[in-house]
Every structure is written in C-alpha cells, then in structure tokens.
Amino acid sequence: MSFGKEILRLDNINKSFPAVKALDQVNLSVRAGEVRGLVGENGAGKSTLIKVVTGAYIKDSGKMIFEDKEVSRNSPIISKELGIYAVYQDVMVAQDLSVAENFFLGNQPKKGPFIDWGKMHRESKKFLEEIEVDIDVKRSIKELSAAEGKMITIAKALWQNPKLVIFDEPTAVLTRNETKILFRIIKNLRGKGSAIIYISHNLEEVFDTCDTVTVLKDGAVVGTYATEELGSVEKLIPLMVGRTIEEMYYKKEVAIGQELLRVENLSGSRFQNITINVKAGEILGIFGLVGAGRTDIARAIFGADKFDKGKIIVNGKEISIRKPKDSLKSGVGYLPEDRRNQGTFAQQDIEFNVNAINLDKVMKAGILNYKKAYEQTKEYVDKLSIKIGSVYQKVSDLSGGNQQKVVIARWLCRNPDVLIFDEPTAGIDVGTKAEIYRLFNEILNQGKGIILISSYLPELIGLSDRILVISNGMVAGEVKKKDFSEEYLLTLAMKNIVSKEKIREAV
Amino acid sequence: MKSNQRKAFAERNLLIILAVMAVYLTIATKGNFSSWDNITNLIRQSSINGVVAIGMTLIIITGGIDLSVGSIVGLSGMVYALLTSNRGDIQMTSSLAIILALGASALIGLANGVAVHKGKVPPFIATLGMMTLVRGIVMYSSSGRMISGLPMGFREFSVATMLGIPALAWTWIFLAIFMAFVLKYTMYGRNLYAIGSNIEAARLSGINIGSNLYKFYVTAGLFSGIAGLMLGTRMAAGVPTGGQGYELDAIASVVIGGASLSGGVGSIFGTALGALIIQTLRNGGNLLGVDPFIMQIIIGAIIILAVFFDQYLKGRKAG
C-alpha cells in the first residue's frame, strides 16, 4: 500500500494520571491518504491518545510531530489551526444555528457590512449535494434528528479541509444508510490526501473501513497491522487481550449456598429479558461493552430507574422495587459507577458519608447519637484501613481510592444480602484494588452474594464464579468458570452488535 | 483542613468581624453603640430578618433559593390583621388567626416545593413567580390599605421583654437554637445536607427527595409566616407592603454566614451572625450619621466581598 507523506508522528508519548499510566511510550505514524483504525479494550488508552493529539490533555513526555514540524505546545485551538479535526460521539455543532451558518461559522461571507445569506446557502447546498447528504441547509441543528446532526458534524469536518480527521465511535447513532454516507465521506477525505484515525468498538467496521489498524493495550502499542494481512476480526481479538492474570485476583473458595437474588425477564428501555441469579458466597460477574446496558440493568434492580416488566425475587420472596429505599430494605445494595456524581457527599465529612444509609443504627427517638455515629464510622474506617486524619475530614479532601473505600464502608455497614459493585476499581490504584478484592472475600464469607460489573476483563475473570455477558441490552450468554477466556467473552460481548450489522446487510 | 474545623473557622471569622465592628463603633460613638438600649434595639431589629433567614438557610442548603419569603411575611401579617381587626367583618380569636396565618404561609411554601420538585421549575423562577403572586393576593385582599385595630395583646408583644431582652429577640433566639439542633441531630437535618450536597447520591441512599423538599419549603414558608406576625406586632397593623425586599436581606445574611449557593453548606449559627453583621452595619451607620444611601452602597459591597472571600479560600485550596 502506498500512502502520501507522513502527517502525524508520535514519538514515545507518555501520559500518567495520579493512579494510572494511561500512555506508555506510544509511537504512531499516520500518512496522508491513510485510514488508520485504533482499537483496544476499554481503558486501553485510546481516548487519552486522541486527547493528547487534539491538545485536550498535555503529554508528560515524548514528541508530537505534525507535517514535519514538532508541536511542542498543543491545545484544542492550536490543533484546530494545524488542521486536526475530531468528530466525537456527541453532536458538536451550534444547536441554534442553521446548517449553513455552522459551516460558515466565524467566516461568514459578506456583502458590504452585511452577511451574504444567499452565497452562504448556495455554497453549503452545493457542498452537501457533492457528498450526497440530503439535508436542508436553512434548518437549525436542533430541528434535525440525532443522526442528521451527526452527519452535519461529520460534513463540517470535510468542509474545513482538514489534514487529520479523528473519528471516535462515529457510527453509534447512525443508520445503515448514513453509515454508508459516512464511509463515502471518509473515502472522499482520503482521496483529498487527509489522514484519518478511526476508533470503533465495532471491529467489523474497522476492517471494512481502515487500511491499517493499531492495537493499544494498557496504554502501550501492541503493534500496527495492515488489515489485508490480518484478514479477519478473529485475528485481531487476541492482540487486544491476552494479558497474564496476576495473583492479585485471588478469590477464596467459599461454599455456595442458597439463592439470594433472582431477577426474571427484566425489561426496560435499554435492556430486554434479563434473567440473573446470585447465590450466597458467589460473585456473579457482568461483562459488556460500554453502552451495552450493564449499568441500566443494575440501576433497575436497585430501583434507581424504572423498568417496564420483570420480577425481582430476594431470598425467595418477590418484592416490588420502585425506589432505592425498597431495595435497601429488602437487602440489595448498589455502589454506583460514577462515584463523584452518585456516590459521595463530597462537601460532607466521612462520618456523614459512612452513615448516610446507616443512621437508623445510631439514632434513638429521632435524635442522633454522635458518639455512636463516631464509633460506627471509626469501626469501618479501621476495617477498610482508610487513611485519614479524622472521621470529621471532608470526603473531597481524600484520594479517589479512599473515597471509594468510604462508599464501600457505607455499604459494608449496611450489610445487604446482595451487593452490586459497578466498576468498583475504575481509576483506582493497584494497592487499593487488591484491598477491595480482599473485602469481596470477607463479604462472601458472611454468606452474602456479589454482582460485579466491570469492563476490566482480568478482574472479572480472576474474581467471578460465573460471568454473564450483556450485548446490546440482551444476555449474550452465561460463561462458566472453566470456559473463561478474554477472547470468548469479547466475542460474546460483540455478538448482538455484529449480528445486527449482518441483519442490516441482509435488508 | 478538617470540615468541622473549617466550619468553626468560618464562624469564628464572623465572630471576630462582629467584635471588631462593635469595638470600633463603641469608640467612634463614644459608647453610645454599646449602651443596653442600643444593643437590645439592634437585636430586636435583627430578629425579623433573622427568622426569615433561618428558612432561607434551609432552602439555600438544598441548592435552591426562595424569593417569595418577603411576600409570605406580608401575607401572614395581612391574614392575621384581616381576621382579627375590630374594623373588619370577621373577628376571630387571636390564636385561631395565628394558626390560619401560619397555615397560609406553610401552604405557599408547599406550593413552592411542588413547583420545584414535581414541576421541575427552577427554584429561582418558581419563587420569583410566587413572590409576585402572593404580593398580589396581599394587595387585593387589603385593597392596598393598612389594616389596623389589632388585638391589644398582639400589639403589646413587640414591646414585651424578658430578662430585659425583647420578646421578638427571644423568638428569634429560640427558633435559631431549635433549628440548629434539628439540623444537627435529626433525620430532617441529615437529609437536608445530603440532598443539598448530592441529590442523586441522596436518592440512591434511599432518601425520598420529594417529601423532604416539601418539608424544607414548608418550613421556610412557616418561618416567613412567623416573621410576618412579628412584623405585625411591631407595626400594630397589617401592612400591604410588609416584608417587601426582605428576601434580599435574608439571602445576604445566609451568604455572609458562609452558606454556599450551590448547596450542601450552611449553618443556622452562621446565618444568625450574618444577620447581626448586616444590622450592626446599619445601626452603626445610623449612629455615625452616615448617609443611608452610602450605607446601601457599603452593604452591597460587603455581600459581594463575603462571597468573593469564600471563593478565594476555596480556590486556594483547590490550587
């Protein structure tokens, strides 16, 4: 394959966050006319890489070279001036302006002191006709559908004649037909000599669209391959996974007891016919790609969101769950994925946070006993070895790992029969992760059950007794411990996405 | 810094500011400021705003704001006056009229709460509308006239004292201590801070957001109602414009008292100090013969400085 001159080169890029090394000596080179796929598991570093290129993040070290010139200082404005254009999952255009105005934003044609509306509309219309997008240029973006808005965002990329276009999961909201148009736009861009970086979970799509594909894993580049040489998606998956499972995922064998929670045919707006059961002493893992509906299912079971139909049975009794209070009472707990927005009361102290759902134990005749509240907090702070100055310290002053431990302390104190952990170790350092896994064992020892939702496969494989794979809001399969493998789980997770693609092709 | 210490720190600062002001004014007025008469007068003058500000504190801790408090002050006083005036058609007993006046105030508070929670109307808008609406009711029901001829006992309350301290001041002190206790030691208070600091986390902790918000808005309405009756005893009449602009003093007291308009932070004691600081400024300016318009400029500047200082401390911490 022959491409043009090198557009973007990254040399040994490093980027760390307080707890994680997000990018580790990343090298990348993209040439004019090349469509480069970028794949990897959740948390492999794809988004971080893109943000470094667009200047949203500042790299720690390494060089970024754009068109033979080093970009030592980068920012979203600088990268735009260089000709780097990123299309994200959201519609990124001015909602209240018309399609034409969006194209000409900041560069409106003038007739004397006035805007030349005629010219603006004519040229925008001609441009859209060229790329065969049929949308009235006079309509404002908010009148368009999500997919049409997305098309305009993409068209605007083409309009600006960029040198490098980055697509981040561009097809998520597009219909089959619009996806076709997108691919045509990409071809058009390639023909004009732009370089393209294309990120998608849909590997089939990556294969169809890209000339080459770079695999990222744990922040490092595994390799860059020509899609023709790889030949098939199946060859790509082992490159994306295949990590050794460290000893930290140690789970003690606990005798599995009776069924604690049973969910039958639960259906809601983002999931259908979900059946789940958890027994005493067991960790049920739930795996799925981002947006597969894992969190939606957990929130419905906990009563945080409404569901359409289905049964929830706790300890053999069917219960009606309409709000979190109901599930709390019947012995189901939920640690939300989004700790900062849903878990902690950041401005309040640790005592307040730990006791948020445990006040009944420290109140008498409606009056709070601060001595007991202190003792109760201290007990769990010590148990979880949360490093703090005092239980009256504000939670916002703690590290992410300690904040998560405070939320876990809250639930350990409540001691529900089944505890749902939604991405409990996201953004948490390795040491604290190991401590959280140790706590899992303790919970299981008490004859409780755990549902563990995680995008991090080594964690799920290392700790779960069974793994339920959710794909596109449906159960794609339940995998027994002896059949655990990253390849198999990933294949299942993409099952309904791939088959939907096939259905679309058949139509 | 530990949170309790930080809160105590903010309140201690306010106490120091108040003390510095008192010392300065005592010297500048050659002792007039700290005369018993002036001090009791100052506390009496603070008490009505002080009571309104307690309710405002609750709403600001939820992350909202209540602009209707001033109109509720007017409503409560007017309901009482209309029901008891010896020149009207109805003449109820004083205690029944008090219950009805407070009931009306609580009802307006409930309406605010429903608009905010069920109606998803932003608190600023909901209570802005309610401010105008309730003032309209007060004006209409009184035809815009003062209603006098109130029962003797009611009028005497404003001049009554206990241990040399005015009954109005006692009312404020009692209510403030009571609410400070409630906020610290009961579910009501815990739920208030939980909802104010993170409404989604509060919901996931099993707290019923709606019923709690209703309670807070009803309480705010009730406190404004009580303040309305206190104003009634001072004016010895139902005044159609009574309480106009009180929302601004109440908000200023709460903000100077260290509460955060984004919710989750605030205390009754801080608010009380805020109310005292504002009144001390007015009183001192008065004694020193400062042009009242100049005083207005100073008080406005102080409100901005109080928030600026708070933000500055926060920003320094984050950086």
Side-chain angles (χ1 to χ4, degrees):
Chain A
M1 241 172 290
S2 62
F3 303 116
K5 66 180 172 87
E6 189 175 61
I7 298 280
L8 172 75
R9 193 167 93 228
L10 300 177
D11 280 344
N12 298 319
I13 299 278
N14 285 296
K15 174 76 191 170
S16 292
F17 294 108
V20 263
K21 182 137 204 191
L23 294 178
D24 187 4
Q25 300 284 346
V26 169
N27 291 299
L28 193 76
S29 163
V30 188
R31 296 178 165 276
E34 177 180 0
V35 182
R36 169 70 57 88
L38 194 57
V39 299
E41 290 181 278
N42 298 330
K46 292 169 296 186
S47 320
T48 311
L49 184 63
I50 293 318
K51 284 180 175 162
V52 166
V53 173
T54 58
Y57 286 164
I58 309 287
K59 60 188 188 298
D60 295 340
S61 64
K63 270 191 200 167
M64 168 170 160
I65 293 146
F66 195 78
E67 294 200 292
D68 301 328
K69 276 197 217 87
E70 182 173 357
V71 186
S72 48
R73 258 193 50 210
N74 199 2
S75 77
I77 296 167
I78 293 173
S79 69
K80 209 162 232 176
E81 281 168 1
L82 288 172
I84 299 174
Y85 194 94
V87 179
Y88 296 104
Q89 295 181 20
D90 324 306
V91 176
M92 299 286 277
V93 280
Q95 292 287 324
D96 292 303
L97 300 185
S98 73
V99 172
E101 281 173 289
N102 265 295
F103 285 151
F104 280 96
L105 202 60
N107 191 23
Q108 291 90 340
K110 296 226 175 109
K111 214 190 251 169
F114 304 108
I115 288 176
D116 187 348
W117 288 98
K119 189 176 174 197
M120 213 157 107
H121 289 147
R122 266 195 319 275
E123 289 191 9
S124 319
K125 192 159 175 260
K126 198 174 135 221
F127 169 69
L128 283 186
E129 275 166 8
E130 265 173 36
I131 58 170
E132 296 174 58
V133 172
D134 182 24
I135 295 172
D136 181 358
V137 297
K138 288 179 191 170
R139 285 167 74 193
S140 70
I141 303 297
K142 65 180 176 196
E143 292 170 46
L144 306 178
S145 71
E148 286 173 324
K150 190 63 182 277
M151 287 311 297
I152 295 301
T153 314
I154 293 165
K156 201 181 163 187
L158 193 57
W159 172 266
Q160 294 182 332
N161 265 326
K163 301 201 175 92
L164 172 68
V165 190
I166 300 163
F167 290 100
D168 191 355
E169 294 285 349
T171 55
V173 296
L174 299 184
T175 63
R176 175 83 187 145
N177 203 24
E178 286 158 334
T179 305
K180 267 189 191 156
I181 296 173
L182 168 71
F183 292 160
R184 208 163 53 225
I185 291 178
I186 289 176
K187 272 206 186 102
N188 191 328
L189 278 167
R190 176 205 272 164
K192 284 184 176 172
S194 298
I196 291 142
I197 296 178
Y198 190 92
I199 301 175
S200 179
H201 272 306
N202 189 330
L203 297 180
E204 310 253 314
E205 206 174 275
V206 171
F207 257 80
D208 288 348
T209 320
C210 301
D211 305 309
T212 51
V213 54
T214 295
V215 180
L216 274 180
K217 192 174 75 183
D218 292 341
V221 173
V222 174
T224 299
Y225 313 89
T227 44
E228 275 180 8
E229 284 166 29
L230 276 176
S232 74
V233 174
E234 282 70 33
K235 291 242 174 75
L236 197 55
I237 292 178
L239 296 169
M240 293 166 62
V241 294
R243 239 167 326 206
T244 55
I245 293 163
E246 300 154 56
E247 283 179 340
M248 65 188 291
Y249 308 115
Y250 166 71
K251 183 184 170 282
K252 217 159 53 177
E253 282 309 314
V254 180
I256 307 254
Q258 93 275 22
E259 187 174 270
L260 297 175
L261 171 74
R262 183 170 187 80
V263 174
E264 278 176 13
N265 297 317
L266 198 71
S267 293
S269 58
R270 293 210 187 130
F271 50 86
Q272 290 95 42
N273 283 321
I274 304 292
T275 294
I276 292 177
N277 70 79
V278 188
K279 301 190 191 76
E282 178 185 54
I283 296 182
L284 171 71
I286 295 188
F287 180 65
L289 302 174
V290 167
R294 303 167 308 176
T295 296
D296 303 280
I297 294 166
R299 284 177 61 91
I301 296 172
F302 184 63
D305 293 333
K306 290 195 177 80
F307 55 88
D308 300 336
K309 60 180 174 42
K311 271 194 217 170
I312 296 173
I313 297 147
V314 181
N315 285 320
K317 259 190 293 189
E318 184 178 346
I319 51 167
S320 138
I321 291 185
R322 288 207 193 81
K323 49 184 189 297
K325 206 175 184 171
D326 300 333
S327 49
L328 264 161
K329 265 192 206 151
S330 48
V332 178
Y334 172 64
L335 271 95
E337 169 184 34
D338 186 349
R339 179 174 57 233
R340 200 165 58 87
N341 290 320
Q342 302 177 354
T344 56
F345 301 101
Q347 298 144 320
Q348 311 302 334
D349 58 28
I350 295 163
E351 181 269 313
F352 187 100
N353 274 275
V354 170
N355 289 326
I357 50 174
N358 301 302
L359 285 171
D360 50 336
K361 299 180 190 173
V362 293
M363 283 188 120
K364 203 175 164 192
I367 307 294
L368 199 135
N369 182 334
Y370 268 87
K371 190 165 170 280
K372 276 192 184 168
Y374 170 83
E375 284 162 3
Q376 180 163 287
T377 311
K378 194 85 177 68
E379 183 190 338
Y380 285 91
V381 162
D382 290 345
K383 197 169 185 174
L384 273 73
S385 44
I386 307 177
K387 291 166 206 78
I388 52 165
S390 129
V391 301
Y392 297 118
Q393 204 171 350
K394 263 168 76 171
V395 162
S396 59
D397 294 343
L398 303 178
S399 70
N402 278 327
Q403 289 191 13
Q404 182 70 319
K405 282 201 206 165
V406 167
V407 181
I408 295 176
R410 177 192 297 168
W411 282 106
L412 288 189
C413 181
R414 182 79 261 165
N415 202 13
D417 294 331
V418 176
L419 198 43
I420 307 171
F421 287 88
D422 195 351
E423 299 283 4
T425 60
I428 281 175
D429 63 281
V430 177
T432 308
K433 271 187 191 174
E435 285 179 53
I436 291 174
Y437 302 147
R438 182 177 58 78
L439 288 167
F440 285 178
N441 285 323
E442 217 167 285
I443 295 171
L444 298 178
N445 263 336
Q446 292 173 29
K448 313 287 181 183
I450 290 175
I451 295 179
L452 174 63
I453 300 175
S454 177
S455 303
Y456 193 54
L457 278 170
E459 174 178 287
L460 268 184
I461 289 178
L463 296 166
S464 310
D465 293 288
R466 285 178 291 140
I467 296 176
L468 199 71
V469 182
I470 307 291
S471 177
N472 220 346
M474 288 170 280
V475 176
E478 189 185 303
V479 185
K480 293 207 174 65
K481 194 156 196 153
K482 63 177 169 53
D483 301 325
F484 284 177
S485 84
E486 299 202 4
E487 286 90 339
Y488 184 42
L489 291 168
L490 261 182
T491 312
L492 276 179
M494 285 187 259
K495 182 174 144 187
N496 293 338
I497 298 173
V498 173
S499 53
K500 199 170 78 183
E501 199 59 32
K502 283 188 180 139
I503 292 166
R504 279 178 181 171
E505 264 155 29
V507 172
Chain B
M1 202 180 298
K2 294 168 191 172
S3 77
N4 268 21
Q5 281 176 1
R6 185 174 186 271
K7 211 163 92 184
F9 177 72
E11 283 165 3
R12 200 183 59 208
N13 279 353
L14 291 174
L15 269 175
I16 292 169
I17 290 167
L18 198 57
V20 169
M21 283 167 66
V23 170
Y24 170 75
L25 287 171
T26 305
I27 296 167
T29 61
K30 300 190 178 66
N32 279 346
F33 174 80
S34 48
S35 72
W36 182 253
D37 274 355
N38 189 51
I39 295 291
T40 51
N41 190 35
L42 192 154
I43 299 175
R44 188 190 358 237
Q45 283 170 344
S46 312
S47 60
I48 295 177
N49 169 41
V51 170
V52 176
I54 293 172
M56 186 67 79
T57 308
L58 303 181
I59 302 305
I60 286 181
I61 292 174
T62 68
I65 197 142
D66 189 348
L67 299 179
S68 68
V69 291
S71 294
I72 299 177
V73 167
L75 176 77
S76 159
M78 189 54 74
V79 168
Y80 179 85
L82 288 171
L83 295 177
T84 57
S85 167
N86 55 21
R87 286 160 217 179
D89 309 327
I90 325 161
Q91 264 200 334
M92 280 183 189
T93 61
S94 195
S95 48
L96 188 58
I98 287 175
I99 290 169
L100 289 173
L102 294 183
S105 308
L107 207 65
I108 302 297
L110 181 66
N112 280 332
V114 171
V116 168
H117 178 68
K118 273 260 177 322
K120 308 259 181 283
V121 183
F124 187 95
I125 305 297
T127 59
L128 178 72
M130 197 58 84
M131 168 174 111
T132 309
L133 187 156
V134 172
R135 183 61 65 188
I137 295 175
V138 175
M139 290 291 180
Y140 181 77
S141 61
S142 61
S143 310
R145 282 191 307 247
M146 293 239 301
I147 307 292
S148 53
L150 306 189
M152 196 60 183
F154 183 74
R155 283 183 284 152
E156 277 173 348
F157 185 80
S158 74
V159 289
T161 60
M162 195 173 98
L163 304 173
I165 294 169
L168 287 174
W170 278 119
T171 311
W172 175 35
I173 293 167
F174 169 77
L175 290 174
I177 292 173
F178 174 75
M179 276 318 281
F181 178 87
V182 167
L183 291 206
K184 190 166 160 91
Y185 288 98
T186 67
M187 277 309 270
Y188 177 100
R190 282 282 178 143
N191 290 346
L192 174 66
Y193 285 103
I195 289 173
S197 40
N198 191 336
I199 196 162
E200 183 61 14
R203 198 170 75 89
L204 293 179
S205 299
I207 295 171
N208 186 330
I209 306 297
S211 70
N212 276 291
L213 277 181
Y214 298 161
K215 277 186 217 161
F216 305 141
Y217 276 94
V218 164
T219 313
L222 264 179
F223 276 92
S224 299
I226 294 169
L229 295 173
M230 290 163 75
L231 182 68
T233 72
R234 284 198 77 186
M235 309 298 276
V239 185
T241 55
Q244 214 155 45
Y246 279 28
E247 59 283 347
L248 301 179
D249 264 4
I251 293 168
S253 307
V254 175
V255 168
I256 291 175
S260 156
L261 285 178
S262 49
V265 180
S267 78
I268 302 292
F269 185 48
T271 296
L273 290 175
L276 279 174
I277 286 174
I278 290 180
Q279 200 53 46
T280 303
L281 275 170
R282 287 221 174 96
N283 178 285
N286 212 358
L287 291 177
L288 293 173
V290 179
D291 187 317
F293 298 141
I294 298 286
M295 271 328 287
Q296 201 171 342
I297 296 172
I298 293 173
I299 290 172
I302 282 178
I303 294 168
I304 296 170
L305 280 175
V307 180
F308 168 78
F309 189 62
D310 191 47
Q311 293 291 339
Y312 172 73
L313 282 181
K314 266 189 219 153
R316 216 176 39 172
K317 226 174 117 227

